[in-house]
Amino acid sequence: MELRQLEYMIAIADHGSISKAAESFHHTVGLNQQLIKLEQELGIQLFYRDKHHLQVTAAGRIYVENAREIMKIKKNTYNILSDMKNNTVG
């Protein structure tokens, strides 16, 4: 599992669309392939998909909630380390 993959899944859930999520990254990132790969890796479907809709499954909600927590921990850790670096006298 990569942090970027977590960001992708959060974006898909937030936007309710793979194409809109991809636009939020301002480049083509192959989110559909990333999602398929992740679902295969986990062995469970994270999103229900049809031509017009994308809906998070129960498993997907759990994944996205935990992904959000991991990203918060990452952000907090970076903030703490940045503060430590800035308070260090050279």
Side-chain angles (χ1 to χ4, degrees):
M1 175 189 326
E2 298 176 20
L3 291 178
R4 196 69 165 153
Q5 194 175 40
L6 298 175
E7 292 175 327
Y8 294 158
M9 296 310 117
I10 292 168
I12 292 170
D14 287 349
H15 291 284
S17 162
I18 293 172
S19 60
K20 288 179 184 175
E23 288 174 14
S24 73
F25 289 101
H26 305 293
H27 56 70
T28 305
V29 291
L31 290 186
N32 192 50
Q33 290 82 11
Q34 289 287 327
L35 175 56
I36 291 168
K37 179 181 173 185
L38 178 62
E39 288 177 331
Q40 288 174 345
E41 179 182 320
L42 297 173
I44 194 163
Q45 189 173 4
L46 301 176
F47 294 89
Y48 295 116
R49 303 183 272 301
D50 66 29
K51 290 183 180 183
H52 304 290
H53 296 89
L54 182 83
Q55 185 177 6
V56 182
T57 65
R61 279 192 297 280
I62 291 168
Y63 185 92
V64 170
E65 287 171 11
N66 283 285
R68 289 184 199 285
E69 288 300 314
I70 291 167
M71 297 310 293
K72 284 180 192 176
I73 291 168
K74 175 193 171 220
K75 181 179 178 181
N76 290 338
T77 301
Y78 278 50
N79 288 340
I80 291 166
L81 295 176
S82 178
D83 289 347
M84 288 176 71
K85 181 177 117 181
N86 293 333
N87 291 326
T88 303
V89 177

